[in-house]
Amino acid sequence: MSKKTIVVVGASRGIGKALVEFFAASADHQVIALSRDLEKMEDNFQGYSNVVSFPFDLLHNVQSEAKTIFEGIGSIDILINNAGKLVNKPFPEITHRDLTDCYQVNVIGVMETVQAAVPQMLGGGHIVNISSMGGFQGSMKFAGLSAYSTSKAALCSFTELFAEEYKESKIKMNCLCLGAAQTEMLEEAFPGYQAPVSAEKMAEFIANFALTGDQWINGKIIPVSLSTP
Ligand SMILES: NC(=O)c1ccc[n+]([C@@H]2O[C@H](COP(=O)([O-])OP(=O)(O)OC[C@H]3O[C@@H](n4cnc5c(N)ncnc54)[C@H](OP(=O)(O)O)[C@@H]3O)[C@@H](O)[C@H]2O)c1
């Protein structure tokens, strides 16, 4: 497989950490790991000489911060928008801040990150947005997840709109709606639930899709789920 430059947003734990480790196991790839916790990422990935970590916060100055990081990298082949913010609260208790932070991280920050990445991907690239079965139209819905799941639905919609606007370009974008994978976020959403899929197995699927799926698929919203939730 040819050498790729791959950016993973939300790389400090869970599926994002596993994604970085999967890609980095192939010494050919250059992997850029982004999250708010630089120390944790440097600790996670100290064994890999092909991983560079940068602090990155989807809540603040995303357009300018992402532009600076991406211009420093040069050309990008794959961008995986994996970071996510969960709000799990009864609807009447959801604050304005819960809503704005959830939408900033899960939707607006992703769109701003993509704006910054596009100039570095004009030679061709695949952007993979990580949504949720909760945001997949017609799926089973769960109490407490109205902020989170509506934001993930917006991310699905963005995928279709971006692909339409960039259909004459060499940039492809797809959206994977994940079912349960065993991570800290899953434990916060569904305490005590045992997922049938580990973070590592989910990451393996996402990574292989990111590397090859854009040859056949663009602008699609794809469920990736063995279970409910
Ligand atoms: N696990 C599941 O069952 C499941 C199911 C459906 C969808 N998903 C989606 O899959 C993705 C990964 O989930 P996960 O379970 O691995 O979640 P996780 O364990 O909570 O990890 C989330 C990652 O996002 C990063 N992040 C959160 N807020 C951020 C911010 N403001 N700026 C930058 N990075 C931020 C976190 O890093 P820092 O805190 O260091 O910034 C962390 O690395 C998410 O988008 C999630 O919604 C997961």
Side-chain angles (χ1 to χ4, degrees), residues 9-17 34-38 40-41 56-60 81-86 105-106 130-134 148 152 155 176-188 190 195 199 202 206:
V9 185
S12 63
R13 66 179 200 174
I15 295 164
K17 172 177 178 284
L34 307 181
S35 91
R36 290 169 297 181
D37 196 335
L38 178 63
K40 199 164 170 188
M41 292 189 294
F56 183 62
D57 187 351
L58 285 161
L59 285 170
H60 302 292
N81 290 309
N82 163 79
K85 177 171 174 60
L86 177 74
V105 173
N106 295 346
I130 303 301
S131 181
S132 165
M133 282 307 292
Y148 172 77
K152 289 297 192 179
L155 183 58
L176 300 179
C177 292
L178 307 190
Q182 200 61 49
T183 66
E184 291 168 71
M185 182 191 283
L186 182 79
E187 181 59 26
E188 288 162 32
F190 300 101
M202 186 62 91
I206 297 168

Side-chain angles (χ1 to χ4, degrees), residues 194-210:
Q194 284 299 309
V197 178
S198 66
E200 290 72 23
K201 289 307 283 182
M202 186 62 91
E204 187 180 330
F205 178 86
I206 297 168
N208 285 319
F209 178 77

